[in-house]
Amino acid sequence: MTQLLVLPLLQEITGEELRVIKQWKKGTKRPSESAIRLINLFVHGKACALLGNSWNGFYFRNGLLYVPEWRNGFTAGEIRALFFRCQLVAYLESEIRLLKAELERRNLDIEEMEIKADFYRRQVSTESKFGLMLERCFGVM
């Protein structure tokens, strides 16, 4: 009974004909390396079976991709959302750089205005003192 279920499943996984799969089972023909990798991926869920050693520790189970550093698996939608989030982070980092440059420019403008304000403050003070001196000297009221 299980044999009847396994053969179509192997056919679906590998894309091979039932005749070839039966030859594998009998031992008259050896499965191709790609078929072995696909079966390992499907049975054990190990991503490195298909994608290479850099995917060691990553595995698929129940339609989720599990990452070694993360307890819960990711759905396909969550993985798509991660790419969107990465783009959003890159955009926001760019905006932060622009805002920092604008803030720096405005801080320089404020410093220049403070220098001018200090000059005009001293100028007004000097002129008012000079005006008082003239008023005392000439008695103009």
Side-chain angles (χ1 to χ4, degrees):
M1 180 84 161
T2 58
Q3 192 177 36
L4 294 175
L5 296 175
V6 171
L7 293 178
L9 185 59
L10 284 174
Q11 183 182 19
E12 184 181 335
I13 293 169
T14 62
E16 291 287 348
E17 297 176 11
L18 280 176
R19 174 185 53 81
V20 175
I21 294 171
K22 287 177 183 176
Q23 290 174 345
W24 293 347
K25 186 166 172 44
K26 288 179 188 174
T28 57
K29 186 172 183 178
R30 188 176 187 317
S32 66
E33 182 64 29
S34 59
I36 292 171
R37 286 176 182 242
L38 283 170
I39 292 168
N40 276 334
L41 175 65
F42 187 80
V43 172
H44 301 294
K46 294 181 179 177
C48 63
L50 187 63
L51 302 172
N53 289 336
S54 61
W55 287 82
N56 251 348
F58 292 80
Y59 62 94
F60 295 96
R61 186 171 293 137
N62 299 328
L64 300 175
L65 172 65
Y66 287 85
V67 178
E69 296 83 14
W70 198 253
R71 182 184 310 176
N72 300 324
F74 292 98
T75 65
E78 289 171 331
I79 292 171
R80 284 188 194 103
L82 287 174
F83 289 111
F84 171 74
R85 298 289 291 200
C86 288
Q87 291 174 343
L88 182 60
V89 166
Y91 167 75
L92 292 174
E93 286 174 341
S94 169
E95 284 293 309
I96 288 170
R97 281 191 300 275
L98 289 173
L99 290 171
K100 281 183 177 179
E102 180 67 16
L103 184 62
E104 183 64 32
R105 187 186 66 77
R106 289 187 182 217
N107 282 339
L108 290 174
D109 287 348
I110 289 171
E111 287 176 15
E112 287 177 14
M113 287 180 194
E114 285 175 347
I115 291 170
K116 287 179 182 177
D118 187 50
F119 168 77
Y120 288 120
R121 196 176 301 115
R122 282 183 281 133
Q123 193 69 19
V124 166
S125 175
T126 303
E127 287 176 5
S128 66
K129 287 177 185 174
F130 185 67
L132 286 174
M133 285 180 6
L134 286 175
E135 186 180 327
R136 288 185 189 145
C137 290
F138 298 108
V140 178
M141 289 196 123

